[in-house]
Amino acid sequence: IMKLLPEIAFKRETHLTKREEEVLRYLSTGRSNKEIAQRLSLSEQSVKVHVSNLFRKTGTSNRSSLALFAATHGFAGGP
């Protein structure tokens, strides 16, 4: 399926914090910010900040692209 998707240029040197990695794993499974917040015992606002940081660090602009980033960089699937 990856061959069918257009190539997306992600930022190559991306350092994610442990918490950002956790948020990314849940996001890649289709969970909402509210669901991620509940699973990680965070406020929904904190999850929004982490998702914004993920957009900036990965060079993506939407959740689908973040999920693709997760799948192609070994972060797919919940913790």
Side-chain angles (χ1 to χ4, degrees):
I1 191 166
M2 296 307 292
K3 292 181 181 179
L4 300 175
L5 297 172
E7 188 171 327
I8 297 175
F10 296 116
K11 291 185 179 178
R12 293 180 187 259
E13 295 183 30
T14 305
H15 172 74
L16 303 179
T17 66
K18 182 179 177 189
R19 186 61 88 186
E20 288 166 346
E21 288 181 13
E22 292 172 328
V23 169
L24 181 58
R25 287 183 195 281
Y26 280 119
L27 185 144
S28 74
T29 65
R31 300 210 187 276
S32 68
N33 288 353
K34 184 175 182 177
E35 292 170 319
I36 295 168
Q38 291 171 343
R39 298 253 178 183
L40 296 177
S41 300
L42 297 172
S43 71
E44 197 170 342
Q45 183 60 37
S46 292
V47 173
K48 288 178 183 179
V49 169
H50 289 304
V51 171
S52 292
N53 289 342
L54 287 165
F55 287 147
R56 180 179 48 79
K57 288 183 174 185
T58 62
T60 59
S61 59
N62 59 60
R63 293 172 83 89
S64 296
S65 294
L66 269 178
L68 180 57
F69 176 89
T72 58
H73 289 81
F75 295 108

